[in-house]
Amino acid sequence: MRETATERWTRRIVLTLLAGFVLVPLYVMVSSAIKPLQDVQAAFTWWPRRPTLQAFVDMWSTVPLGRYLINSLLVASVAAIFSVAVAIFAAYAVSRYRFRGRQVFSVTVLSTQMFPGILFLLPLFLIYVNLGNATGIALYASRTGLIITYLTFSLPFSIWMLVGYFDSIPRGLDEAAQVDGAGPLRTLFQVVLPAAVPGVVAVTVYAFMTAWGEVLFASVLTNENSRTLAVGLQGYSTQFNVYWNQVMAASLVVSVPVVAGFLALQRYFVAGLTAGAVK
């Protein structure tokens, strides 16, 4: 079926508008990052009159950006790794075995996504503080407490995603491995997981991004030493001034590793999200 001229021009216009929605804000970020602060605070101009890279230098000293970056990378990476590790075993059990309470477990895991995150903020805060006072285990204002918090949100969805992906893998592979004498763990690691790489990558990216950009819990459950980037960027706004050029510069710099990782894993991510949709 050939595309008509009207359809072709409609497609071009729509794609151009969508590209504008994406690229214009990015251009404003870049242009603001290379402007002096006085120019950013003045009337908006599309082209920097006095381009400078000083904001990329000053952003490291205005706030401890390096420490925030390390905290974010550590918290997001550990939360993603633990989330995927637990979700693999749970999803494999739900997908391959029929046991009492299986349906209840599946519904319970999925239903946890119905509750807003702010509902758990005060309970987690009280648990961490009281547990620290009673046992000396410092979860409040620590990266460990933040990792546990992010696990409570990413783990249910990770299990649900992997169950759908494991269901799309033929059970004949498991049966063939069992005929060859492989046990459940060997079957999982040597047969099922190699075929489930796109799904595992998609879940890992989801868990990482959930922790990387979270603000609510990070703003309450951390202090200056354990603060993450999502909250630490607020430090560029002081009582007397807002360093907009440094905010834009910092946002661009901290986005580079995430964007690079996402582009490198994009083909796995897309395949993993669509897996299990059609059987």
Side-chain angles (χ1 to χ4, degrees), residues 132-175:
N133 294 334
T135 65
I137 300 176
L139 293 179
Y140 173 71
S142 70
R143 292 178 294 198
T144 303
L146 203 58
I147 291 171
I148 296 174
T149 301
Y150 291 154
L151 279 175
T152 62
F153 298 104
S154 61
L155 186 56
F157 189 75
S158 299
I159 295 175
W160 179 71
M161 282 186 65
L162 283 180
V163 167
Y165 196 89
F166 287 159
D167 285 344
S168 67
I169 298 176
R171 296 177 183 271
L173 296 178
D174 301 53
E175 297 171 356

Side-chain angles (χ1 to χ4, degrees), residues 42-148:
F44 176 76
T45 56
W46 286 99
W47 188 256
R49 293 191 296 267
R50 296 177 298 167
T52 176
L53 297 178
Q54 188 62 36
F56 290 90
V57 178
D58 296 338
M59 67 180 186
W60 300 100
S61 57
T62 303
V63 301
L65 186 64
R67 182 168 63 205
Y68 297 158
L69 179 60
I70 293 175
N71 288 340
S72 289
L73 288 173
L74 183 62
V75 169
S77 299
V78 174
I81 291 172
F82 274 94
S83 178
V84 171
V86 176
I88 286 174
F89 290 102
Y92 183 73
V94 173
S95 174
R96 289 301 194 260
Y97 297 99
R98 298 297 179 264
F99 52 88
R100 182 177 298 178
R102 173 180 176 274
Q103 191 65 30
V104 175
F105 174 79
S106 302
V107 173
T108 302
V109 167
L110 189 57
S111 64
T112 58
Q113 303 300 303
M114 298 170 56
F115 300 100
I118 195 172
L119 188 67
F120 302 98
L121 181 59
L122 182 58
L124 284 173
F125 174 80
L126 294 176
I127 290 173
Y128 288 174
V129 172
N130 292 329
L131 186 63
N133 294 334
T135 65
I137 300 176
L139 293 179
Y140 173 71
S142 70
R143 292 178 294 198
T144 303
L146 203 58
I147 291 171
I148 296 174

Side-chain angles (χ1 to χ4, degrees), residues 2-279:
R2 296 184 60 182
E3 185 181 36
T4 64
T6 302
E7 293 173 340
R8 183 167 57 253
W9 279 105
T10 301
R11 175 173 55 84
R12 292 175 179 176
I13 294 173
V14 171
L15 291 178
T16 302
L17 292 175
L18 291 176
F21 278 119
V22 175
L23 296 178
V24 170
L26 182 61
Y27 172 78
V28 172
M29 287 182 61
V30 174
S31 63
S32 299
I34 60 177
K35 290 179 181 179
L37 181 59
Q38 296 80 3
D39 292 356
V40 178
Q41 294 174 334
F44 176 76
T45 56
W46 286 99
W47 188 256
R49 293 191 296 267
R50 296 177 298 167
T52 176
L53 297 178
Q54 188 62 36
F56 290 90
V57 178
D58 296 338
M59 67 180 186
W60 300 100
S61 57
T62 303
V63 301
L65 186 64
R67 182 168 63 205
Y68 297 158
L69 179 60
I70 293 175
N71 288 340
S72 289
L73 288 173
L74 183 62
V75 169
S77 299
V78 174
I81 291 172
F82 274 94
S83 178
V84 171
V86 176
I88 286 174
F89 290 102
Y92 183 73
V94 173
S95 174
R96 289 301 194 260
Y97 297 99
R98 298 297 179 264
F99 52 88
R100 182 177 298 178
R102 173 180 176 274
Q103 191 65 30
V104 175
F105 174 79
S106 302
V107 173
T108 302
V109 167
L110 189 57
S111 64
T112 58
Q113 303 300 303
M114 298 170 56
F115 300 100
I118 195 172
L119 188 67
F120 302 98
L121 181 59
L122 182 58
L124 284 173
F125 174 80
L126 294 176
I127 290 173
Y128 288 174
V129 172
N130 292 329
L131 186 63
N133 294 334
T135 65
I137 300 176
L139 293 179
Y140 173 71
S142 70
R143 292 178 294 198
T144 303
L146 203 58
I147 291 171
I148 296 174
T149 301
Y150 291 154
L151 279 175
T152 62
F153 298 104
S154 61
L155 186 56
F157 189 75
S158 299
I159 295 175
W160 179 71
M161 282 186 65
L162 283 180
V163 167
Y165 196 89
F166 287 159
D167 285 344
S168 67
I169 298 176
R171 296 177 183 271
L173 296 178
D174 301 53
E175 297 171 356
Q178 292 170 4
V179 170
D180 291 338
L185 289 179
R186 183 180 173 187
T187 301
L188 171 61
F189 286 107
Q190 295 187 1
V191 178
V192 177
L193 274 186
V197 170
V200 173
V201 170
V203 171
T204 304
V205 172
Y206 163 79
F208 183 88
M209 295 305 299
T210 299
W212 181 265
E214 202 280 325
V215 176
L216 177 62
F217 288 88
S219 62
V220 176
L221 301 179
T222 60
N223 59 10
E224 181 64 25
N225 293 324
S226 57
R227 193 163 294 161
T228 58
L229 278 172
V231 180
L233 291 178
Q234 299 177 8
Y236 292 105
S237 175
T238 66
Q239 182 178 359
F240 304 102
N241 207 348
V242 179
Y243 299 96
W244 290 111
N245 55 342
Q246 296 184 38
V247 172
M248 300 302 177
S251 300
L252 290 171
V253 169
V254 302
S255 298
V256 170
V258 179
V259 173
F262 181 82
L263 292 177
L265 301 173
Q266 183 181 14
R267 62 190 183 96
Y268 296 107
F269 184 66
V270 174
L273 286 179
T274 58
V278 179
K279 296 184 182 179

